[in-house]
Amino acid sequence: MLQVRGGRIGRMSTVIRAQELDALVVGVTLLGSGGGGDTGAFGRMLRRRLGDGELVLRDASDAPGAYVSPIGVVGATSVLAEKLPSGGEFDTAVRAVSRWTGRPVTGLMSLEAGGLNGLSPLIAALDLGLPFVDADLMGRAMPRLDQFSWAVAGRSLTPCALSEPSGQVIVVDHVDAAGLERAVRSFVAHTGGWAVLALAPTPVKAATSDAVTGSLTRALALGRAHAGLDVGVRPQTVAQTLGGRLLGGGRVEEVARHTVPPGGAAFGRGSVCVVDSASRAVLRIETENEYLLAMVDGEPVVSTPDLVCVLDRRTLQPIFVDAIRTGDEVLVLALPGPTWWRRPDRIAHVGPRAFGLTCDPMLLEAS
Amino acid sequence: MSVAPTLGAMLLSPGWRDVVVLGGGSEPGPWLAGSRVMLEVGGHPEALEGRLLVVLLTSDHTDWRIDALISRASAAGAAALLLAGVEPLGRGAQLLAERLQLPVLGSPDPLAAHEYLTQVTAEPDVVRADLVLRAVGALRRTFGDLNTVLRTAADVLGRPVTLAGSDGGTLAGEPLEADERPVLVAALPAVPVGWAAPYQVDLPGGAVMIAVAVLGAGPVCWLVARLPAVVPAEVAAVPAVLTVVAPAVGERLALRRLELERDARQRTSLLGELLHGEPSEATRRRAVDLGWQLDGWHTGIRIGADGQLDVAGRRADVVEAFDAEGLHAVVVEQGDGWSAWITAVREPTATEVQQQAAAIRRVQRRLVKTVDAYVGVGRVAPGPSGIASSLAEAGDAAGLARGRAETGRFLHVDRLGLAQLLLAWTRTDTFQPAARALLAPIEDQPGDLVTTLAVYLDTESSLAETAAVLGIHRNTAAARIHKIQHLLGVDLSNPDERLALHLASRTTRT
């Protein structure tokens, strides 16, 4: 159990207690933009681990000299519901990468902030008793390892270690992001479907210089704002409260899911069609693992790396891409994505074209 | 008239046969001022102003870029959007097309659709010239009958082509719609002139009929093409094509007429020879050539008709009616009707004769729909001479049948013979009052003059026999006959008067 040591927490750090976990879960789900894996199971695990304690989201400056390892879950996160974690995967992966690099891991950060990987490093931090630095390599959820900010910034993702629930562990080194992607995919495909990935322990300054910082703090803020919304509030108010833009709200008219063509992209493409109940405007959202591109009346309005979020109109709970169904009554919102990506050299890796959508990135006005 | 067709009219046009509406369609759709081509869905069209936007390469109709294109095309003022392929659109694209009122079409060959639309909007003269040249070329290669010519014209136009009589009845080709016939007939003149311009008949539903008179050997008929909707370039081109086709149709009609007349003459003359005694060897050979079987048992049938009748022209209908009843009859044009006979290998039984007569009756019922026909059927007779004898009986029966509406103008001379038939006729309501009136003067006279007269005529005017039959003296009989002649004012040696009295006495006696 991580104890908060007085005086060492800077002003930039955020403290999370049990009563705020719900907000955090909603926040990371919103950052997932419809993907990133189901946050429910990890939310419950985190609640159990945390108990009455506290969890500190540290600013990089609050962990000087620490060697942090980005950690998270990779593979088919939907399998997590069937193939449950043994509890030792984080430890195994961290030990393996620590042993390979010859450096102890003295802090953790997240691989991606959106979806369940916004929560899994917190569990790891609690389990391993390590401080958690609020930084991650995506600032949202995205499907590929070459979309890690480290890879985009030209840093190697290796050495790194993978461990899976039955205890098997492998260390991968001297390979680029695409090669690592292949290694990870073949590993999880032949084991339990998912694995914990821990990257090499890195001095915190270097680790966070090419990373998105403060994502979980933002998630918590989003979650808190979301929790403050009353049921039945106007859609426009929902968007304003969450700091985004309302694209529309109405019935889901069609959910098309295309099977993956053989030899094609690894993720199933699909689209969601919503008709705005007020204006009858036709909303179309192109999906892969996340909501990628939103169009209103045929015109692209918002795309990755900004966040397209679909909420249940009644409960305002976020709806995942794989859970949305024809007939759902939804609100479609766009939230600004991480500013880290808003640079021409970076955005090419995460814009619509990175997902095979021949469309320039459509971003919200910088807030 | 503007040369821009509506989308609805284009969808019904032959050049757009494979174009389908995928979404956003509404009748009759916008006017299509022209066509613009774009290679891929990703393009950015500009300033379309009522034109059709054609996209040549479209991989997937559910792609998001289709939605984007619909939006861009609508913003650029396109009248409609045509995509390659006919797969259904995604729901979003459909809803969007409806919302923006932009019809989205699909075609397996969008380039052909584009070219056709460009032609009909920008080069209507080229369309006309092309169709006329194609018609001329196709007709030059057409050697078949009338139907082949009509089919060729229909193929060139891509529209149904009909040869209609002056009453709108279909003579060949696609039948006209029943409710459109009167409109057509009302618009056409009864006596057309050769140099008259083709007629254009606008139908209530928006369809158009173009009619060109065919002047030939027979009665006037009309070559009619029906266009389900107005594509101005096509409406302008079709009359020219029909004008080219009409002489070819007239020629085929004249040839057919000639053939019919020749065959009819051949049959009629052969039948004439058969009717005059035992056939010669040459006659037999000619009969074989025509497929007539002279041996066997023949049933003669005479079909007469009231009113003017094209006996040679309508023979086919008669043959068809027999065929429809499963009767293999030889039908020959003769006078103002047809003589026909059915040949059986062996002598038919009484039941078979009855069944055959019933079948012939049904033939008559079929014919009555178009011809005011009366029918007589003779008795079965064997051999070549049987044809003549049975036909003679049939002719007599037909003569009787003509005036007998109560038997459906049908008479069958069965085993009882013609005499019985005549006798039966004397029992009719028309004859009986006449008979009574004829015999009235002697009815109430003493000496049973009516019976005496009947017996006298039955015994071939023999006084001795009459006296014997009645059990009276010969002189009494002579006196009574004398009195009868006096009272009736007739001369019993006159065969006509004798026959009338004989029949009348039969009637009153029974």
Side-chain angles (χ1 to χ4, degrees):
Chain A
M1 182 72 56
L2 186 78
Q3 293 301 316
V4 182
R5 274 153 279 183
R8 294 206 45 204
I9 304 170
R11 277 175 303 155
M12 300 295 285
S13 299
T14 308
V15 179
I16 294 176
R17 295 184 181 80
Q19 63 267 30
E20 281 158 331
L21 273 183
D22 282 340
L24 182 66
V25 169
V26 169
V28 296
T29 310
L30 287 172
L31 288 187
S33 187
D38 184 12
T39 47
F42 274 79
R44 286 188 289 277
M45 272 197 293
L46 181 58
R47 181 183 305 280
R48 182 166 278 268
R49 295 285 200 290
L50 185 60
D52 298 329
E54 289 178 339
L55 187 56
V56 183
L57 308 179
R58 288 170 195 268
D59 186 74
S61 58
D62 285 338
Y67 277 80
V68 294
S69 169
I71 195 166
V73 173
V74 292
T77 48
S78 56
V79 181
L80 266 167
E82 297 166 20
K83 183 89 171 176
L84 297 171
S86 69
E89 299 89 348
F90 296 113
D91 187 37
T92 314
V94 167
R95 273 174 198 277
V97 76
S98 168
R99 186 170 166 196
W100 180 262
T101 55
R103 266 185 211 291
V105 174
T106 57
L108 294 176
M109 59 184 272
S110 179
L111 289 175
E112 72 182 326
L116 61 83
N117 274 336
L119 305 176
S120 60
L122 302 181
I123 297 170
L126 289 174
D127 280 357
L128 306 180
L130 292 173
F132 178 81
V133 176
D134 184 7
D136 67 281
L137 305 185
M138 287 179 167
R140 46 165 293 158
M142 275 180 291
R144 301 199 306 264
L145 301 187
D146 66 341
Q147 288 166 324
F148 282 150
S149 60
W150 280 12
V152 170
R155 293 169 63 140
S156 175
L157 297 180
T158 56
C160 62
L162 286 156
S163 72
E164 57 95 35
S166 56
Q168 194 180 167
V169 59
I170 62 169
V171 174
V172 185
D173 202 353
H174 305 304
V175 67
D176 63 1
L180 178 61
E181 180 99 42
R182 281 194 297 277
V184 168
R185 294 213 175 280
S186 55
F187 179 63
V188 298
H190 294 103
T191 56
W194 63 274
V196 165
L197 172 67
L199 303 190
T202 310
V204 67
K205 202 162 186 276
T208 55
S209 65
D210 289 322
V212 184
T213 52
S215 297
L216 289 192
T217 309
R218 183 188 173 197
L220 189 60
L222 272 177
R224 281 177 178 152
H226 181 273
L229 290 166
D230 293 323
V231 171
V233 73
R234 283 177 50 239
Q236 202 64 52
T237 314
V238 175
Q240 277 164 7
T241 309
L242 297 181
R245 184 176 140 198
L246 178 71
L247 301 184
R251 183 176 184 271
V252 175
E253 290 291 333
E254 187 191 48
V255 178
R257 293 191 169 92
H258 309 303
T259 48
V260 181
F267 307 108
R269 281 283 288 280
S271 69
V272 178
C273 170
V274 179
V275 171
D276 185 65
S277 51
S279 67
R280 306 309 294 167
V282 180
L283 265 87
R284 176 172 175 153
I285 311 169
E286 288 297 295
T287 68
E288 232 173 50
N289 288 2
E290 293 83 30
Y291 300 114
L292 301 177
L293 170 68
M295 299 159 70
V296 176
D297 279 343
E299 272 192 62
V301 285
V302 177
S303 74
T304 52
D306 277 357
L307 308 169
V308 177
C309 301
V310 179
L311 308 186
D312 184 296
R313 195 173 189 163
R314 231 165 13 87
T315 64
L316 299 180
Q317 288 302 308
I319 304 178
F320 288 97
V321 169
D322 54 6
I324 195 160
R325 296 285 179 271
T326 302
D328 288 350
E329 289 282 339
V330 298
L331 294 181
V332 183
L333 309 177
L335 305 182
T339 48
W340 193 89
W341 294 108
R342 292 195 173 202
R343 245 174 58 177
D345 58 325
R346 292 172 177 166
I347 206 162
H349 294 86
V350 292
R353 284 180 209 280
F355 299 93
L357 299 169
T358 51
C359 166
D360 292 331
M362 305 294 294
L363 302 181
L364 296 175
E365 300 291 310
S367 48
Chain B
M1 189 201 272
S2 158
V3 291
T6 62
L7 173 61
M10 281 308 289
L11 285 171
L12 293 171
S13 73
W16 270 30
R17 196 153 288 157
D18 54 3
V19 177
V20 296
V21 177
L22 301 177
S26 59
E27 286 297 319
W31 300 95
L32 299 177
S35 182
R36 278 279 179 80
V37 156
M38 209 169 74
L39 192 61
E40 282 183 304
V41 288
H44 287 261
E46 279 173 11
L48 292 167
E49 285 135 18
R51 292 193 183 85
L52 174 76
L53 177 63
V54 179
V55 183
L56 297 184
L57 299 176
T58 325
S59 56
D60 176 8
H61 284 183
T62 60
D63 192 3
W64 65 278
R65 287 176 298 177
I66 301 285
D67 298 40
L69 184 64
I70 291 171
S71 161
R72 287 200 299 270
S74 173
L81 175 64
L82 173 65
L83 305 174
V86 295
E87 301 79 27
L89 293 178
R91 183 91 181 109
Q94 272 175 18
L95 290 168
L96 190 57
E98 271 163 40
R99 178 170 160 77
L100 300 178
Q101 294 280 301
L102 183 80
V104 179
L105 317 170
S107 165
D109 187 355
L111 190 59
H114 159 73
E115 281 174 352
Y116 186 69
L117 179 59
T118 307
Q119 264 188 10
V120 299
T121 50
E123 304 161 327
D125 290 342
V126 174
V127 174
R128 184 165 59 189
D130 176 54
L131 281 177
V132 169
L133 287 177
R134 272 168 57 201
V136 170
L139 286 175
R140 209 170 47 212
R141 292 189 299 274
T142 305
F143 300 107
D145 59 0
L146 178 64
N147 280 319
T148 319
V149 173
L150 290 182
R151 215 163 32 238
T152 305
D155 286 349
V156 168
L157 292 178
R159 302 293 194 192
V161 174
T162 310
L163 185 66
S166 50
D167 63 345
T170 305
L171 302 178
E174 293 279 317
L176 298 174
E177 298 282 336
D179 53 335
E180 293 175 357
R181 270 174 59 173
V183 187
L184 177 70
V185 172
L188 297 178
V191 183
V193 279
W195 41 264
Y199 291 85
Q200 179 179 337
V201 183
D202 295 312
L203 296 167
V208 171
M209 282 200 194
I210 310 282
V212 172
V214 177
L215 303 168
V220 173
C221 43
W222 295 88
L223 195 56
V224 182
R226 184 182 188 278
L227 315 180
V230 176
V231 176
E234 193 189 13
V235 172
V238 169
V241 174
L242 291 187
T243 309
V244 169
V245 176
V249 170
E251 185 200 358
R252 294 310 195 284
L253 283 176
L255 281 177
R256 195 164 77 168
R257 185 74 210 174
L258 199 65
E259 220 164 278
L260 280 178
E261 299 272 7
R262 196 184 55 215
D263 291 353
R265 207 165 46 244
Q266 203 176 349
R267 279 190 295 269
T268 310
S269 73
L270 182 57
L271 178 61
E273 284 169 39
L274 283 181
L275 294 181
H276 289 102
E278 194 62 24
S280 68
E281 201 170 305
T283 309
R284 281 177 182 276
R285 205 164 45 237
R286 282 173 56 204
V288 170
D289 287 346
L290 285 178
W292 296 3
Q293 195 185 334
L294 299 184
D295 299 320
W297 295 75
H298 308 288
T299 309
I301 303 155
R302 172 70 192 172
I303 303 168
D306 289 328
Q308 281 292 92
L309 189 64
D310 177 6
V311 177
R314 303 297 296 271
R315 174 179 178 267
D317 298 346
V318 179
V319 173
E320 199 174 290
F322 274 109
D323 286 349
E325 292 301 336
L327 297 174
H328 299 288
V330 176
V331 180
V332 178
E333 303 86 344
Q334 209 187 21
D336 57 354
W338 299 273
S339 291
W341 65 93
I342 299 165
T343 306
V345 179
R346 51 176 187 78
E347 184 175 10
T349 64
T351 326
E352 281 167 354
V353 168
Q354 287 301 325
Q355 284 168 351
Q356 198 176 47
I360 295 168
R361 242 199 138 105
R362 290 196 292 273
V363 170
Q364 183 198 16
R365 263 182 236 128
R366 281 174 188 275
L367 287 176
V368 163
K369 288 172 196 155
T370 52
V371 181
D372 200 3
Y374 50 89
V375 175
V377 181
R379 278 181 293 175
V380 177
S385 61
I387 295 176
S389 63
S390 186
L391 275 179
E393 283 182 355
D396 291 343
L400 278 174
R402 183 177 192 174
R404 295 186 58 172
E406 63 271 21
T407 60
R409 313 227 296 166
F410 179 91
L411 264 187
H412 179 205
V413 182
D414 55 13
R415 283 154 194 280
L416 296 172
L418 190 61
Q420 288 293 328
L421 270 177
L422 280 169
L423 190 59
W425 179 65
T426 64
R427 305 217 174 93
T428 60
D429 293 341
T430 37
F431 186 72
Q432 288 216 1
R436 281 209 194 86
L438 194 61
L439 297 180
I442 57 170
E443 201 127 72
D444 298 325
Q445 293 297 317
D448 200 0
L449 295 185
V450 175
T451 311
T452 309
L453 176 63
V455 172
Y456 176 72
L457 291 170
D458 281 351
T459 55
E460 299 174 7
S461 307
S462 161
L463 285 173
E465 278 291 308
T466 307
V469 169
L470 292 176
I472 55 174
H473 194 270
R474 188 179 180 282
N475 286 351
T476 312
R480 282 186 186 177
I481 295 302
H482 184 74
K483 192 175 178 187
I484 287 165
Q485 294 201 57
H486 174 72
L487 283 172
L488 291 179
V490 297
D491 176 8
L492 282 179
S493 59
N494 181 326
D496 288 345
E497 292 183 350
R498 203 169 57 221
L499 176 62
L501 286 174
H502 199 171
L503 287 169
S505 62
R506 287 293 174 103
T507 309
T508 47
R509 201 167 53 178
T510 48

